[in-house]
Amino acid sequence: MRIIDKQNLENIAAGAAVLGTGGGGDPHVGKLMAMAAIEKYGPVTLLSPQEVGDDDWVVSASMTGAPSILVEKIPSGTEVIRAFEAICEYSEKEIKAIYPIEIGGVNSIVPLVLGAITGLPVVDTDGIGRAFPELQMVTFHLAGLQSAPLSVADEKGNTLIVTGIDNQWNERIIRAALIAMGGSVMVCSNLMQGRVLKAEGIHHTLTLAEKIGETVHGLRHRNENPIAALVDVLEGKLLFEGKINNLLRRNAGGFTRGEVYFDGINRYQGKQAMISFQNEFLVATIDQQPVVTTPDLIMILDLETGFPITTEVLRYGNRAAIVAMPCDAKWRTEKGLQTAGPRYFGYDIDYIPLQV
Amino acid sequence: MRIIDKQNLENIAAGAAVLGTGGGGDPHVGKLMAMAAIEKYGPVTLLSPQEVGDDDWVVSASMTGAPSILVEKIPSGTEVIRAFEAICEYSEKEIKAIYPIEIGGVNSIVPLVLGAITGLPVVDTDGIGRAFPELQMVTFHLAGLQSAPLSVADEKGNTLIVTGIDNQWNERIIRAALIAMGGSVMVCSNLMQGRVLKAEGIHHTLTLAEKIGETVHGLRHRNENPIAALVDVLEGKLLFEGKINNLLRRNAGGFTRGEVYFDGINRYQGKQAMISFQNEFLVATIDQQPVVTTPDLIMILDLETGFPITTEVLRYGNRAAIVAMPCDAKWRTEKGLQTAGPRYFGYDIDYIPLQV
């Protein structure tokens, strides 16, 4: 158990954006939300997973939708409270803690905002170990657990409770509804007891994000190569260094989708890289050969500062490193790859397990 | 209070399809559903509005979506039960009776199906006095009442509770969700107490439907002009007799939309008529002049039998009468016309109050 203050928060936001692999929204938006909440309601308690009681009810809180819309439509904070109140009332459970459904810019921070407002602790465990675009892409789904009931709230005051027959139906229905609701909503889902979270979650990922954020922020003051330092803390691999020479990005089907193209620089001069994304970076190719695919993590980091560049802030001329990191072993199983491997997203390629 | 048996049901289904002005689904589908339910669970009690206790909770049950999809996807009966159970559980109210939200083929019958299964009585009162395509188009909306919470269930087993900030938001969100859910769903909405239903509903419309249905069925055995007999019982007006020479019909935005064109026959020889529809028939023109518009009722009746022809069964070569009937006075108010007048549906014409 430890207290999350503004400095911890700043590091978590930066590190979560690195692990968010392009998705999860602009970390700056998330940070501003949480700073305001801590300012107003006081700091948040972070629990280690083992500190959660086996019988205690816990629920996730997250933003779902297109992150590029979120930047234009900053959540007011009231929608996450309404989503939380709706799931409490509907389930009639006394919820003891909140956890992040994924690690990604805004979605690592949303539970901390809710924790600050409600006074409930946040668990240092998430349901992916990275960020993924669809609601059923969580380790709980791999374990056969249902995400329903889910509560959904928008900034206008509309609230839904969704009880689909399976996790894919929840995704389909909520995606359709959130498009009608303006493109992004807050969701509480995967209400479960502590013993299940301990068995099926990915642990210590907020702390990992914080460590990554410390590295990113620390780099400002040193003369070190930022990319090498980050590859080291991520236990990842540098794939490419390049300059963005083309970007195709659109909002479609409730997601931010597109492709970003790089001309190689430094020792990658003369090579070309391309990354396809659907909220998150999903496939990286070098000279048209796939080199890393989902569910492994693909990150685009600013070459000078090491700061992550998310899908909605990518732009022509960015000089960046492409870095990869192996996903959690839960995603390398048959069901993991069926759920979030390259073929699920429509790419006609097999998963290439990243070796580091 | 009276018992609805299979014969009453047959008449209600036929008459409700006349009042359904093209929408509300194929009456044959509704009739088959209700016949099966009465066969299995016994007859249904119909209450006069004054027999409902002022403090008793009542709720509407209806199908929402594109009627042309409903024909392909006949409700199993389990979805209306799940929608009803969801609203009971969510609201924690002891619901004493069910009422039809509108008078139209399937939607006059759905409450009778639910009444048969649950043993609850059905009230002889609806929320429109005809059929309309969107959820906020009810007299309760004109009275400033909220339709939320609404429960939504599909035939697959998916269930939603929607609590929008206003009636238009409920419509938008449910329309988006039902498209994802396959194009038609069952909805329970406008939970209210008896005193409100008595003040704001349109009364005795199931009985009116039954009377119309008796006329339609009686015509089979007589040598009378069926259209003249129906115009008489409807207190309506014959506008045109013609043969369908063109039909544009598509499923779009969760509705069945289109236009149907007629060449005049009998004393209308040499004239042309056209009717625009969005689930229901909304504007009738003769020789390109609008003659009747929503919210007044426009019906297409088979010239030989008097049977109503609904939007999803219209076809080239149908010989039909176009008949109109004035709407309830509640729809002729400023808010009534804002909610369901021709301009709401995008027609650049003013409402022309039908004179009979």
Side-chain angles (χ1 to χ4, degrees):
Chain A
M1 187 182 297
R2 62 191 178 94
I3 297 299
I4 299 297
D5 62 18
K6 286 190 181 181
Q7 184 55 54
N8 304 129
L9 197 68
E10 192 133 6
N11 289 330
I12 291 171
V18 173
L19 292 172
T21 67
D26 185 336
H28 192 64
V29 173
K31 192 185 74 181
L32 292 179
M33 283 167 61
M35 291 285 188
I38 289 184
E39 189 92 32
K40 188 162 172 192
Y41 301 99
V44 186
T45 302
L46 187 70
L47 295 182
S48 290
Q50 57 272 23
E51 292 172 306
V52 180
D54 275 350
D55 295 328
D56 285 352
W57 289 95
V58 298
V59 75
S60 78
S62 60
M63 186 283 296
T64 300
S68 55
I69 287 170
L70 189 71
V71 177
E72 308 288 325
K73 194 174 91 124
I74 295 182
S76 67
T78 61
E79 53 269 49
V80 66
I81 292 296
R82 274 187 300 101
F84 180 72
E85 286 172 350
I87 200 81
C88 290
E89 280 167 34
Y90 183 77
S91 67
E92 299 181 347
K93 299 285 184 267
E94 192 198 340
I95 293 169
K96 294 286 185 64
I98 300 151
Y99 67 92
I101 199 69
E102 65 181 1
I103 295 299
V106 166
N107 275 345
S108 301
I109 301 300
V110 165
L112 298 167
V113 172
L114 186 58
I117 301 175
T118 58
L120 291 172
V122 173
V123 190
D124 193 4
T125 294
D126 82 291
I128 311 184
R130 50 165 295 169
F132 271 137
E134 299 182 13
L135 290 165
Q136 78 283 5
M137 295 174 173
V138 290
T139 53
F140 313 120
H141 173 72
L142 304 184
L145 299 165
Q146 294 296 315
S147 56
L150 300 94
S151 61
V152 177
D154 69 12
E155 78 293 350
K156 292 173 278 290
N158 296 302
T159 309
L160 316 186
I161 297 282
V162 177
T163 312
I165 43 169
D166 62 30
N167 298 331
Q168 273 93 347
W169 272 108
N170 293 326
E171 161 63 26
R172 261 177 235 153
I173 293 168
I174 292 176
R175 192 69 48 187
L178 79 85
I179 294 169
M181 293 162 91
S184 73
V185 292
M186 291 293 174
V187 174
C188 286
S189 73
N190 295 90
L191 177 68
M192 60 179 69
Q193 284 179 295
R195 68 168 61 79
V196 181
L197 186 72
K198 291 180 207 178
E200 305 303 342
I202 310 281
H203 303 302
H204 308 297
T205 43
L206 285 174
T207 295
L208 173 62
E210 189 177 359
K211 199 173 138 198
I212 295 166
E214 279 167 9
T215 305
V216 171
H217 288 128
L219 292 169
R220 285 188 192 161
H221 312 293
R222 295 197 301 270
N223 235 346
E224 220 175 312
N225 175 338
I227 303 304
L230 274 164
V231 167
D232 193 47
V233 68
L234 289 166
E235 301 179 19
K237 187 175 180 175
L238 174 64
L239 296 181
F240 199 78
E241 293 175 352
K243 201 170 88 172
I244 296 181
N245 68 9
N246 197 9
L247 171 64
L248 305 170
R249 180 174 51 202
R250 59 202 178 277
N251 284 326
F255 298 106
T256 303
R257 294 176 196 258
E259 296 85 36
V260 55
Y261 295 84
F262 297 82
D263 277 332
I265 53 176
N266 302 337
R267 65 189 179 96
Y268 301 90
Q269 192 82 43
K271 290 178 175 290
Q272 311 282 324
M274 190 273 279
I275 294 177
S276 293
F277 54 88
Q278 176 182 328
N279 288 11
E280 280 75 32
F281 304 129
L282 296 177
V283 174
T285 65
I286 296 178
D287 289 343
Q288 293 170 32
Q289 290 303 309
V291 288
V292 181
T293 77
T294 176
D296 287 330
L297 288 76
I298 300 166
M299 302 148 188
I300 301 180
L301 306 176
D302 183 287
L303 210 51
E304 307 307 316
T305 65
F307 261 68
I309 306 177
T310 55
T311 40
E312 78 280 9
V313 298
L314 286 168
R315 65 168 192 274
Y316 181 84
N318 280 145
R319 290 160 57 86
I322 304 174
V323 170
M325 174 184 157
C327 62
D328 188 273
K330 285 188 164 80
W331 291 108
R332 293 185 164 194
T333 59
E334 194 184 334
K335 189 160 182 193
L337 294 173
Q338 273 169 11
T339 302
R343 291 190 187 278
Y344 177 85
F345 289 102
Y347 301 103
D348 189 22
I349 49 175
D350 287 320
Y351 171 58
I352 310 151
L354 175 71
Q355 312 291 339
V356 289
Chain B
M1 185 182 298
R2 62 190 178 96
I3 297 299
I4 299 296
D5 63 16
K6 285 189 183 183
Q7 185 55 57
N8 304 130
L9 198 66
E10 193 132 4
N11 289 329
I12 290 171
V18 173
L19 293 174
T21 67
D26 186 336
H28 192 64
V29 172
K31 191 185 73 180
L32 291 178
M33 283 168 61
M35 291 285 188
I38 288 183
E39 190 90 34
K40 189 162 172 191
Y41 302 99
V44 186
T45 302
L46 186 70
L47 295 182
S48 289
Q50 56 273 25
E51 293 173 306
V52 181
D54 275 350
D55 295 329
D56 285 353
W57 289 94
V58 297
V59 76
S60 78
S62 60
M63 186 283 296
T64 299
S68 55
I69 287 171
L70 189 71
V71 178
E72 308 288 325
K73 192 173 95 122
I74 295 181
S76 66
T78 62
E79 52 270 48
V80 66
I81 293 295
R82 275 187 300 98
F84 180 71
E85 285 172 352
I87 200 81
C88 291
E89 280 167 35
Y90 183 77
S91 67
E92 299 181 347
K93 299 285 184 266
E94 192 197 341
I95 292 168
K96 293 287 185 63
I98 300 151
Y99 67 92
I101 199 70
E102 66 181 359
I103 295 299
V106 167
N107 276 344
S108 300
I109 301 298
V110 165
L112 297 167
V113 173
L114 185 58
I117 301 175
T118 57
L120 290 173
V122 173
V123 190
D124 193 3
T125 295
D126 81 291
I128 311 186
R130 49 166 295 168
F132 272 137
E134 300 183 11
L135 292 165
Q136 78 282 5
M137 294 174 174
V138 290
T139 53
F140 314 120
H141 173 72
L142 304 184
L145 299 165
Q146 294 296 314
S147 58
L150 299 94
S151 62
V152 178
D154 68 13
E155 78 294 350
K156 292 173 278 289
N158 297 302
T159 309
L160 315 187
I161 297 282
V162 178
T163 312
I165 41 169
D166 62 31
N167 297 331
Q168 272 92 348
W169 273 107
N170 292 326
E171 161 63 27
R172 261 177 235 154
I173 292 168
I174 291 177
R175 193 68 48 186
L178 79 85
I179 294 169
M181 291 162 94
S184 73
V185 291
M186 291 294 174
V187 174
C188 287
S189 73
N190 295 90
L191 178 67
M192 60 179 69
Q193 285 179 296
R195 67 168 62 80
V196 181
L197 185 72
K198 290 180 210 179
E200 305 302 342
I202 311 280
H203 303 301
H204 309 296
T205 44
L206 285 174
T207 295
L208 173 63
E210 190 178 359
K211 199 172 138 198
I212 296 167
E214 278 167 8
T215 305
V216 172
H217 287 128
L219 292 170
R220 284 187 192 163
H221 312 294
R222 295 197 302 269
N223 235 347
E224 218 176 313
N225 175 336
I227 302 304
L230 274 164
V231 167
D232 193 48
V233 67
L234 289 166
E235 302 179 20
K237 187 175 181 174
L238 173 64
L239 297 180
F240 199 78
E241 293 176 353
K243 202 171 88 172
I244 295 181
N245 69 8
N246 197 9
L247 171 64
L248 305 171
R249 181 175 50 204
R250 59 203 178 277
N251 284 327
F255 299 105
T256 303
R257 294 175 196 258
E259 295 86 37
V260 55
Y261 296 84
F262 297 82
D263 277 332
I265 53 177
N266 303 337
R267 64 188 179 98
Y268 301 90
Q269 191 83 41
K271 291 179 174 289
Q272 311 282 324
M274 190 272 279
I275 294 177
S276 293
F277 54 87
Q278 177 182 326
N279 289 10
E280 281 74 32
F281 304 129
L282 297 178
V283 174
T285 65
I286 296 178
D287 290 343
Q288 293 171 30
Q289 290 302 309
V291 286
V292 182
T293 76
T294 175
D296 286 330
L297 288 76
I298 300 166
M299 303 148 186
I300 300 180
L301 306 176
D302 183 287
L303 209 52
E304 307 307 316
T305 65
F307 261 67
I309 305 176
T310 54
T311 40
E312 79 280 9
V313 297
L314 287 168
R315 65 168 192 272
Y316 181 85
N318 280 146
R319 289 161 57 86
I322 304 174
V323 170
M325 174 184 157
C327 62
D328 188 273
K330 286 188 164 83
W331 291 109
R332 293 186 165 193
T333 59
E334 194 183 333
K335 190 161 182 191
L337 294 174
Q338 273 170 11
T339 301
R343 292 192 186 278
Y344 177 86
F345 289 102
Y347 301 104
D348 190 22
I349 48 176
D350 287 319
Y351 171 58
I352 309 153
L354 175 69
Q355 312 292 338
V356 288

PDB file of all heavy atoms in Angstrom, chain A residues 32-56:
ATOM      1  N   LEU A  32      -3.845  15.589 -16.671  1.00  0.00           N
ATOM      2  CA  LEU A  32      -4.580  16.790 -16.234  1.00  0.00           C
ATOM      3  C   LEU A  32      -5.834  16.420 -15.445  1.00  0.00           C
ATOM      4  O   LEU A  32      -6.142  17.040 -14.431  1.00  0.00           O
ATOM      5  CB  LEU A  32      -4.956  17.653 -17.447  1.00  0.00           C
ATOM      6  CG  LEU A  32      -3.808  18.320 -18.186  1.00  0.00           C
ATOM      7  CD1 LEU A  32      -4.333  19.120 -19.376  1.00  0.00           C
ATOM      8  CD2 LEU A  32      -2.994  19.220 -17.250  1.00  0.00           C
ATOM      9  N   MET A  33      -6.535  15.363 -15.924  1.00  0.00           N
ATOM     10  CA  MET A  33      -7.734  14.909 -15.209  1.00  0.00           C
ATOM     11  C   MET A  33      -7.389  14.493 -13.792  1.00  0.00           C
ATOM     12  O   MET A  33      -8.070  14.861 -12.830  1.00  0.00           O
ATOM     13  CB  MET A  33      -8.352  13.695 -15.913  1.00  0.00           C
ATOM     14  CG  MET A  33      -9.131  13.990 -17.165  1.00  0.00           C
ATOM     15  SD  MET A  33      -9.468  12.434 -18.068  1.00  0.00           S
ATOM     16  CE  MET A  33     -10.450  11.527 -16.857  1.00  0.00           C
ATOM     17  N   ALA A  34      -6.329  13.683 -13.668  1.00  0.00           N
ATOM     18  CA  ALA A  34      -5.979  13.137 -12.350  1.00  0.00           C
ATOM     19  C   ALA A  34      -5.402  14.207 -11.432  1.00  0.00           C
ATOM     20  O   ALA A  34      -5.684  14.230 -10.235  1.00  0.00           O
ATOM     21  CB  ALA A  34      -5.000  11.981 -12.517  1.00  0.00           C
ATOM     22  N   MET A  35      -4.597  15.105 -11.981  1.00  0.00           N
ATOM     23  CA  MET A  35      -4.039  16.207 -11.177  1.00  0.00           C
ATOM     24  C   MET A  35      -5.184  17.004 -10.553  1.00  0.00           C
ATOM     25  O   MET A  35      -5.162  17.325  -9.365  1.00  0.00           O
ATOM     26  CB  MET A  35      -3.222  17.160 -12.069  1.00  0.00           C
ATOM     27  CG  MET A  35      -1.935  16.574 -12.591  1.00  0.00           C
ATOM     28  SD  MET A  35      -0.679  16.498 -11.280  1.00  0.00           S
ATOM     29  CE  MET A  35       0.763  16.016 -12.237  1.00  0.00           C
ATOM     30  N   ALA A  36      -6.185  17.307 -11.380  1.00  0.00           N
ATOM     31  CA  ALA A  36      -7.327  18.096 -10.898  1.00  0.00           C
ATOM     32  C   ALA A  36      -8.074  17.338  -9.805  1.00  0.00           C
ATOM     33  O   ALA A  36      -8.473  17.921  -8.786  1.00  0.00           O
ATOM     34  CB  ALA A  36      -8.257  18.431 -12.064  1.00  0.00           C
ATOM     35  N   ALA A  37      -8.229  16.014  -9.983  1.00  0.00           N
ATOM     36  CA  ALA A  37      -8.968  15.221  -8.996  1.00  0.00           C
ATOM     37  C   ALA A  37      -8.200  15.137  -7.685  1.00  0.00           C
ATOM     38  O   ALA A  37      -8.778  15.252  -6.598  1.00  0.00           O
ATOM     39  CB  ALA A  37      -9.263  13.830  -9.556  1.00  0.00           C
ATOM     40  N   ILE A  38      -6.873  14.944  -7.756  1.00  0.00           N
ATOM     41  CA  ILE A  38      -6.067  14.843  -6.529  1.00  0.00           C
ATOM     42  C   ILE A  38      -6.035  16.202  -5.818  1.00  0.00           C
ATOM     43  O   ILE A  38      -6.143  16.275  -4.587  1.00  0.00           O
ATOM     44  CB  ILE A  38      -4.647  14.301  -6.853  1.00  0.00           C
ATOM     45  CG1 ILE A  38      -4.748  12.816  -7.219  1.00  0.00           C
ATOM     46  CG2 ILE A  38      -3.694  14.537  -5.692  1.00  0.00           C
ATOM     47  CD1 ILE A  38      -3.421  12.118  -7.469  1.00  0.00           C
ATOM     48  N   GLU A  39      -5.909  17.250  -6.596  1.00  0.00           N
ATOM     49  CA  GLU A  39      -5.963  18.614  -6.051  1.00  0.00           C
ATOM     50  C   GLU A  39      -7.239  18.813  -5.232  1.00  0.00           C
ATOM     51  O   GLU A  39      -7.224  19.330  -4.130  1.00  0.00           O
ATOM     52  CB  GLU A  39      -5.962  19.588  -7.241  1.00  0.00           C
ATOM     53  CG  GLU A  39      -5.805  21.045  -6.896  1.00  0.00           C
ATOM     54  CD  GLU A  39      -4.327  21.446  -6.915  1.00  0.00           C
ATOM     55  OE1 GLU A  39      -3.537  20.871  -7.714  1.00  0.00           O
ATOM     56  OE2 GLU A  39      -3.975  22.313  -6.110  1.00  0.00           O
ATOM     57  N   LYS A  40      -8.343  18.333  -5.774  1.00  0.00           N
ATOM     58  CA  LYS A  40      -9.640  18.603  -5.171  1.00  0.00           C
ATOM     59  C   LYS A  40      -9.979  17.624  -4.043  1.00  0.00           C
ATOM     60  O   LYS A  40     -10.543  18.015  -3.022  1.00  0.00           O
ATOM     61  CB  LYS A  40     -10.706  18.519  -6.267  1.00  0.00           C
ATOM     62  CG  LYS A  40     -12.088  18.963  -5.837  1.00  0.00           C
ATOM     63  CD  LYS A  40     -12.974  19.285  -7.036  1.00  0.00           C
ATOM     64  CE  LYS A  40     -14.402  19.534  -6.616  1.00  0.00           C
ATOM     65  NZ  LYS A  40     -15.307  19.566  -7.759  1.00  0.00           N
ATOM     66  N   TYR A  41      -9.634  16.321  -4.245  1.00  0.00           N
ATOM     67  CA  TYR A  41     -10.117  15.297  -3.302  1.00  0.00           C
ATOM     68  C   TYR A  41      -9.016  14.667  -2.457  1.00  0.00           C
ATOM     69  O   TYR A  41      -9.290  13.857  -1.591  1.00  0.00           O
ATOM     70  CB  TYR A  41     -10.841  14.184  -4.067  1.00  0.00           C
ATOM     71  CG  TYR A  41     -12.020  14.672  -4.875  1.00  0.00           C
ATOM     72  CD1 TYR A  41     -11.903  14.907  -6.241  1.00  0.00           C
ATOM     73  CD2 TYR A  41     -13.256  14.904  -4.273  1.00  0.00           C
ATOM     74  CE1 TYR A  41     -12.980  15.365  -7.000  1.00  0.00           C
ATOM     75  CE2 TYR A  41     -14.339  15.357  -5.016  1.00  0.00           C
ATOM     76  CZ  TYR A  41     -14.192  15.582  -6.377  1.00  0.00           C
ATOM     77  OH  TYR A  41     -15.253  16.038  -7.101  1.00  0.00           O
ATOM     78  N   GLY A  42      -7.736  14.986  -2.747  1.00  0.00           N
ATOM     79  CA  GLY A  42      -6.639  14.379  -2.009  1.00  0.00           C
ATOM     80  C   GLY A  42      -6.060  13.189  -2.743  1.00  0.00           C
ATOM     81  O   GLY A  42      -6.595  12.760  -3.765  1.00  0.00           O
ATOM     82  N   PRO A  43      -4.930  12.641  -2.215  1.00  0.00           N
ATOM     83  CA  PRO A  43      -4.192  11.593  -2.929  1.00  0.00           C
ATOM     84  C   PRO A  43      -4.934  10.255  -2.949  1.00  0.00           C
ATOM     85  O   PRO A  43      -5.946  10.085  -2.278  1.00  0.00           O
ATOM     86  CB  PRO A  43      -2.889  11.473  -2.142  1.00  0.00           C
ATOM     87  CG  PRO A  43      -3.205  11.987  -0.789  1.00  0.00           C
ATOM     88  CD  PRO A  43      -4.295  13.001  -0.941  1.00  0.00           C
ATOM     89  N   VAL A  44      -4.407   9.336  -3.746  1.00  0.00           N
ATOM     90  CA  VAL A  44      -5.033   8.028  -3.944  1.00  0.00           C
ATOM     91  C   VAL A  44      -4.121   6.952  -3.354  1.00  0.00           C
ATOM     92  O   VAL A  44      -2.894   7.070  -3.415  1.00  0.00           O
ATOM     93  CB  VAL A  44      -5.206   7.743  -5.458  1.00  0.00           C
ATOM     94  CG1 VAL A  44      -5.986   6.458  -5.690  1.00  0.00           C
ATOM     95  CG2 VAL A  44      -5.870   8.900  -6.151  1.00  0.00           C
ATOM     96  N   THR A  45      -4.734   5.903  -2.816  1.00  0.00           N
ATOM     97  CA  THR A  45      -3.966   4.774  -2.282  1.00  0.00           C
ATOM     98  C   THR A  45      -3.822   3.704  -3.357  1.00  0.00           C
ATOM     99  O   THR A  45      -4.820   3.322  -3.980  1.00  0.00           O
ATOM    100  CB  THR A  45      -4.708   4.171  -1.068  1.00  0.00           C
ATOM    101  OG1 THR A  45      -4.865   5.198  -0.105  1.00  0.00           O
ATOM    102  CG2 THR A  45      -3.934   3.003  -0.472  1.00  0.00           C
ATOM    103  N   LEU A  46      -2.592   3.241  -3.561  1.00  0.00           N
ATOM    104  CA  LEU A  46      -2.353   2.136  -4.502  1.00  0.00           C
ATOM    105  C   LEU A  46      -2.133   0.856  -3.697  1.00  0.00           C
ATOM    106  O   LEU A  46      -1.283   0.815  -2.803  1.00  0.00           O
ATOM    107  CB  LEU A  46      -1.128   2.436  -5.375  1.00  0.00           C
ATOM    108  CG  LEU A  46      -0.872   1.441  -6.505  1.00  0.00           C
ATOM    109  CD1 LEU A  46      -1.922   1.551  -7.600  1.00  0.00           C
ATOM    110  CD2 LEU A  46       0.521   1.658  -7.103  1.00  0.00           C
ATOM    111  N   LEU A  47      -2.908  -0.183  -3.998  1.00  0.00           N
ATOM    112  CA  LEU A  47      -2.772  -1.479  -3.308  1.00  0.00           C
ATOM    113  C   LEU A  47      -1.980  -2.445  -4.170  1.00  0.00           C
ATOM    114  O   LEU A  47      -2.212  -2.527  -5.377  1.00  0.00           O
ATOM    115  CB  LEU A  47      -4.148  -2.106  -3.084  1.00  0.00           C
ATOM    116  CG  LEU A  47      -5.143  -1.421  -2.178  1.00  0.00           C
ATOM    117  CD1 LEU A  47      -6.417  -2.279  -2.099  1.00  0.00           C
ATOM    118  CD2 LEU A  47      -4.552  -1.216  -0.786  1.00  0.00           C
ATOM    119  N   SER A  48      -1.068  -3.201  -3.538  1.00  0.00           N
ATOM    120  CA  SER A  48      -0.505  -4.358  -4.231  1.00  0.00           C
ATOM    121  C   SER A  48      -1.621  -5.383  -4.395  1.00  0.00           C
ATOM    122  O   SER A  48      -2.516  -5.452  -3.543  1.00  0.00           O
ATOM    123  CB  SER A  48       0.596  -5.005  -3.391  1.00  0.00           C
ATOM    124  OG  SER A  48       1.697  -4.158  -3.362  1.00  0.00           O
ATOM    125  N   PRO A  49      -1.559  -6.215  -5.453  1.00  0.00           N
ATOM    126  CA  PRO A  49      -2.644  -7.188  -5.631  1.00  0.00           C
ATOM    127  C   PRO A  49      -2.860  -8.055  -4.389  1.00  0.00           C
ATOM    128  O   PRO A  49      -4.002  -8.345  -4.020  1.00  0.00           O
ATOM    129  CB  PRO A  49      -2.194  -8.011  -6.845  1.00  0.00           C
ATOM    130  CG  PRO A  49      -0.849  -7.495  -7.258  1.00  0.00           C
ATOM    131  CD  PRO A  49      -0.591  -6.219  -6.562  1.00  0.00           C
ATOM    132  N   GLN A  50      -1.781  -8.437  -3.706  1.00  0.00           N
ATOM    133  CA  GLN A  50      -1.946  -9.319  -2.540  1.00  0.00           C
ATOM    134  C   GLN A  50      -2.636  -8.624  -1.362  1.00  0.00           C
ATOM    135  O   GLN A  50      -3.083  -9.287  -0.430  1.00  0.00           O
ATOM    136  CB  GLN A  50      -0.610  -9.976  -2.121  1.00  0.00           C
ATOM    137  CG  GLN A  50       0.522  -9.018  -1.812  1.00  0.00           C
ATOM    138  CD  GLN A  50       1.351  -8.628  -3.054  1.00  0.00           C
ATOM    139  OE1 GLN A  50       0.871  -8.708  -4.190  1.00  0.00           O
ATOM    140  NE2 GLN A  50       2.577  -8.191  -2.833  1.00  0.00           N
ATOM    141  N   GLU A  51      -2.745  -7.301  -1.426  1.00  0.00           N
ATOM    142  CA  GLU A  51      -3.448  -6.588  -0.350  1.00  0.00           C
ATOM    143  C   GLU A  51      -4.970  -6.550  -0.550  1.00  0.00           C
ATOM    144  O   GLU A  51      -5.690  -6.049   0.309  1.00  0.00           O
ATOM    145  CB  GLU A  51      -2.909  -5.151  -0.241  1.00  0.00           C
ATOM    146  CG  GLU A  51      -1.474  -5.114   0.270  1.00  0.00           C
ATOM    147  CD  GLU A  51      -0.871  -3.715   0.191  1.00  0.00           C
ATOM    148  OE1 GLU A  51      -0.875  -3.100  -0.895  1.00  0.00           O
ATOM    149  OE2 GLU A  51      -0.380  -3.244   1.242  1.00  0.00           O
ATOM    150  N   VAL A  52      -5.449  -7.038  -1.689  1.00  0.00           N
ATOM    151  CA  VAL A  52      -6.906  -7.068  -1.933  1.00  0.00           C
ATOM    152  C   VAL A  52      -7.481  -8.326  -1.284  1.00  0.00           C
ATOM    153  O   VAL A  52      -6.914  -9.419  -1.450  1.00  0.00           O
ATOM    154  CB  VAL A  52      -7.202  -7.088  -3.454  1.00  0.00           C
ATOM    155  CG1 VAL A  52      -8.706  -7.124  -3.720  1.00  0.00           C
ATOM    156  CG2 VAL A  52      -6.557  -5.893  -4.141  1.00  0.00           C
ATOM    157  N   GLY A  53      -8.576  -8.182  -0.528  1.00  0.00           N
ATOM    158  CA  GLY A  53      -9.199  -9.344   0.108  1.00  0.00           C
ATOM    159  C   GLY A  53      -9.773 -10.287  -0.943  1.00  0.00           C
ATOM    160  O   GLY A  53     -10.313  -9.830  -1.955  1.00  0.00           O
ATOM    161  N   ASP A  54      -9.675 -11.593  -0.712  1.00  0.00           N
ATOM    162  CA  ASP A  54     -10.179 -12.563  -1.698  1.00  0.00           C
ATOM    163  C   ASP A  54     -11.654 -12.366  -2.009  1.00  0.00           C
ATOM    164  O   ASP A  54     -12.085 -12.596  -3.135  1.00  0.00           O
ATOM    165  CB  ASP A  54      -9.976 -13.993  -1.181  1.00  0.00           C
ATOM    166  CG  ASP A  54      -8.579 -14.505  -1.493  1.00  0.00           C
ATOM    167  OD1 ASP A  54      -7.854 -13.832  -2.258  1.00  0.00           O
ATOM    168  OD2 ASP A  54      -8.222 -15.575  -0.964  1.00  0.00           O
ATOM    169  N   ASP A  55     -12.439 -11.965  -1.017  1.00  0.00           N
ATOM    170  CA  ASP A  55     -13.883 -11.817  -1.210  1.00  0.00           C
ATOM    171  C   ASP A  55     -14.297 -10.395  -1.583  1.00  0.00           C
ATOM    172  O   ASP A  55     -15.469 -10.145  -1.858  1.00  0.00           O
ATOM    173  CB  ASP A  55     -14.632 -12.229   0.071  1.00  0.00           C
ATOM    174  CG  ASP A  55     -14.431 -13.712   0.353  1.00  0.00           C
ATOM    175  OD1 ASP A  55     -14.296 -14.483  -0.616  1.00  0.00           O
ATOM    176  OD2 ASP A  55     -14.394 -14.072   1.548  1.00  0.00           O
ATOM    177  N   ASP A  56     -13.348  -9.481  -1.576  1.00  0.00           N
ATOM    178  CA  ASP A  56     -13.701  -8.081  -1.876  1.00  0.00           C
ATOM    179  C   ASP A  56     -14.058  -7.915  -3.353  1.00  0.00           C
ATOM    180  O   ASP A  56     -13.375  -8.455  -4.237  1.00  0.00           O
ATOM    181  CB  ASP A  56     -12.519  -7.148  -1.556  1.00  0.00           C
ATOM    182  CG  ASP A  56     -12.354  -6.951  -0.060  1.00  0.00           C
ATOM    183  OD1 ASP A  56     -13.226  -7.400   0.704  1.00  0.00           O
ATOM    184  OD2 ASP A  56     -11.330  -6.344   0.332  1.00  0.00           O
TER     185      ASP A  56
END
